[in-house]
Tab-separated table of all heavy atoms in Angstrom:
chain	number	residue	atom	x	y	z
N	29	ASP	N	20.025	35.638	-65.002
N	29	ASP	CA	19.435	34.797	-63.957
N	29	ASP	C	17.923	34.927	-63.885
N	29	ASP	O	17.287	34.306	-63.040
N	29	ASP	CB	20.033	35.139	-62.594
N	29	ASP	CG	21.495	34.759	-62.505
N	29	ASP	OD1	21.892	33.749	-63.121
N	29	ASP	OD2	22.248	35.476	-61.822
N	30	SER	N	17.339	35.722	-64.772
N	30	SER	CA	15.895	35.966	-64.744
N	30	SER	C	15.124	34.897	-65.518
N	30	SER	O	15.626	34.341	-66.489
N	30	SER	CB	15.576	37.331	-65.360
N	30	SER	OG	16.164	38.360	-64.613
N	31	SER	N	13.905	34.677	-65.059
N	31	SER	CA	12.955	33.817	-65.759
N	31	SER	C	11.704	34.646	-65.991
N	31	SER	O	11.176	35.256	-65.059
N	31	SER	CB	12.607	32.587	-64.925
N	31	SER	OG	13.745	31.801	-64.703
N	32	LEU	N	11.238	34.668	-67.227
N	32	LEU	CA	10.073	35.459	-67.595
N	32	LEU	C	8.976	34.534	-68.075
N	32	LEU	O	9.224	33.643	-68.893
N	32	LEU	CB	10.435	36.453	-68.700
N	32	LEU	CG	11.645	37.340	-68.423
N	32	LEU	CD1	12.005	38.143	-69.667
N	32	LEU	CD2	11.376	38.250	-67.249
N	33	VAL	N	7.771	34.740	-67.579
N	33	VAL	CA	6.620	33.916	-67.940
N	33	VAL	C	5.525	34.841	-68.461
N	33	VAL	O	5.113	35.765	-67.764
N	33	VAL	CB	6.123	33.104	-66.727
N	33	VAL	CG1	4.872	32.327	-67.074
N	33	VAL	CG2	7.219	32.164	-66.231
N	34	VAL	N	5.073	34.576	-69.679
N	34	VAL	CA	4.034	35.382	-70.316
N	34	VAL	C	2.745	34.576	-70.321
N	34	VAL	O	2.679	33.514	-70.945
N	34	VAL	CB	4.432	35.766	-71.760
N	34	VAL	CG1	3.333	36.561	-72.430
N	34	VAL	CG2	5.745	36.528	-71.757
N	35	VAL	N	1.751	35.075	-69.606
N	35	VAL	CA	0.461	34.397	-69.519
N	35	VAL	C	-0.617	35.436	-69.806
N	35	VAL	O	-1.063	36.143	-68.909
N	35	VAL	CB	0.252	33.764	-68.126
N	35	VAL	CG1	-1.054	32.994	-68.080
N	35	VAL	CG2	1.413	32.845	-67.765
N	36	THR	N	-1.000	35.552	-71.072
N	36	THR	CA	-2.028	36.508	-71.450
N	36	THR	C	-3.149	35.768	-72.165
N	36	THR	O	-3.010	34.610	-72.544
N	36	THR	CB	-1.486	37.602	-72.398
N	36	THR	OG1	-1.272	37.033	-73.693
N	36	THR	CG2	-0.199	38.208	-71.876
N	37	ARG	N	-4.233	36.460	-72.373
N	37	ARG	CA	-5.355	35.906	-73.125
N	37	ARG	C	-5.380	36.446	-74.552
N	37	ARG	O	-6.310	36.183	-75.291
N	37	ARG	CB	-6.669	36.249	-72.437
N	37	ARG	CG	-6.806	35.601	-71.086
N	37	ARG	CD	-8.097	36.037	-70.432
N	37	ARG	NE	-8.169	35.487	-69.103
N	37	ARG	CZ	-9.134	34.690	-68.695
N	37	ARG	NH1	-10.104	34.357	-69.503
N	37	ARG	NH2	-9.134	34.238	-67.472
N	38	SER	N	-4.346	37.198	-74.914
N	38	SER	CA	-4.390	37.922	-76.171
N	38	SER	C	-3.107	37.755	-76.976
N	38	SER	O	-2.045	38.210	-76.549
N	38	SER	CB	-4.609	39.412	-75.881
N	38	SER	OG	-4.406	40.174	-77.035
N	39	PRO	N	-3.198	37.154	-78.147
N	39	PRO	CA	-2.016	37.092	-79.019
N	39	PRO	C	-1.500	38.489	-79.367
N	39	PRO	O	-0.300	38.681	-79.522
N	39	PRO	CB	-2.519	36.372	-80.265
N	39	PRO	CG	-3.736	35.635	-79.829
N	39	PRO	CD	-4.336	36.442	-78.718
N	40	GLU	N	-2.392	39.468	-79.465
N	40	GLU	CA	-1.979	40.835	-79.775
N	40	GLU	C	-1.070	41.393	-78.680
N	40	GLU	O	-0.102	42.093	-78.965
N	40	GLU	CB	-3.194	41.741	-79.979
N	40	GLU	CG	-4.005	41.425	-81.223
N	40	GLU	CD	-4.947	40.224	-81.055
N	40	GLU	OE1	-5.283	39.840	-79.912
N	40	GLU	OE2	-5.319	39.648	-82.099
N	41	VAL	N	-1.388	41.079	-77.429
N	41	VAL	CA	-0.544	41.517	-76.315
N	41	VAL	C	0.801	40.802	-76.392
N	41	VAL	O	1.863	41.419	-76.227
N	41	VAL	CB	-1.235	41.268	-74.956
N	41	VAL	CG1	-0.280	41.548	-73.799
N	41	VAL	CG2	-2.486	42.118	-74.832
N	42	ASP	N	0.782	39.509	-76.660
N	42	ASP	CA	2.029	38.750	-76.794
N	42	ASP	C	2.908	39.362	-77.884
N	42	ASP	O	4.110	39.560	-77.688
N	42	ASP	CB	1.750	37.290	-77.143
N	42	ASP	CG	1.035	36.529	-76.036
N	42	ASP	OD1	0.926	37.055	-74.907
N	42	ASP	OD2	0.584	35.403	-76.302
N	43	ILE	N	2.310	39.665	-79.016
N	43	ILE	CA	3.049	40.237	-80.145
N	43	ILE	C	3.663	41.583	-79.760
N	43	ILE	O	4.781	41.906	-80.156
N	43	ILE	CB	2.128	40.359	-81.382
N	43	ILE	CG1	1.816	38.964	-81.922
N	43	ILE	CG2	2.745	41.250	-82.454
N	43	ILE	CD1	0.652	38.916	-82.897
N	44	ARG	N	2.966	42.331	-78.945
N	44	ARG	CA	3.454	43.646	-78.535
N	44	ARG	C	4.605	43.543	-77.526
N	44	ARG	O	5.553	44.323	-77.571
N	44	ARG	CB	2.299	44.467	-77.967
N	44	ARG	CG	2.607	45.924	-77.836
N	44	ARG	CD	1.387	46.795	-77.542
N	44	ARG	NE	0.675	46.412	-76.339
N	44	ARG	CZ	-0.589	45.935	-76.315
N	44	ARG	NH1	-1.271	45.795	-77.421
N	44	ARG	NH2	-1.156	45.621	-75.175
N	45	ILE	N	4.538	42.581	-76.593
N	45	ILE	CA	5.535	42.551	-75.519
N	45	ILE	C	6.720	41.623	-75.772
N	45	ILE	O	7.796	41.848	-75.232
N	45	ILE	CB	4.889	42.200	-74.165
N	45	ILE	CG1	4.332	40.788	-74.162
N	45	ILE	CG2	3.850	43.212	-73.777
N	45	ILE	CD1	3.831	40.332	-72.803
N	46	LEU	N	6.543	40.592	-76.587
N	46	LEU	CA	7.622	39.610	-76.753
N	46	LEU	C	8.916	40.185	-77.321
N	46	LEU	O	9.996	39.797	-76.855
N	46	LEU	CB	7.146	38.411	-77.563
N	46	LEU	CG	6.289	37.432	-76.770
N	46	LEU	CD1	5.697	36.360	-77.671
N	46	LEU	CD2	7.101	36.790	-75.649
N	47	PRO	N	8.885	41.088	-78.292
N	47	PRO	CA	10.174	41.607	-78.778
N	47	PRO	C	11.041	42.224	-77.677
N	47	PRO	O	12.258	42.007	-77.654
N	47	PRO	CB	9.766	42.642	-79.834
N	47	PRO	CG	8.468	42.123	-80.356
N	47	PRO	CD	7.772	41.570	-79.121
Side-chain angles (χ1 to χ4, degrees):
D29 293 327
S30 297
S31 297
L32 308 172
V33 176
V34 178
V35 183
T36 73
R37 295 177 184 239
S38 169
E40 292 79 20
V41 172
D42 294 349
I43 290 165
R44 194 168 57 245
I45 65 173
L46 283 173

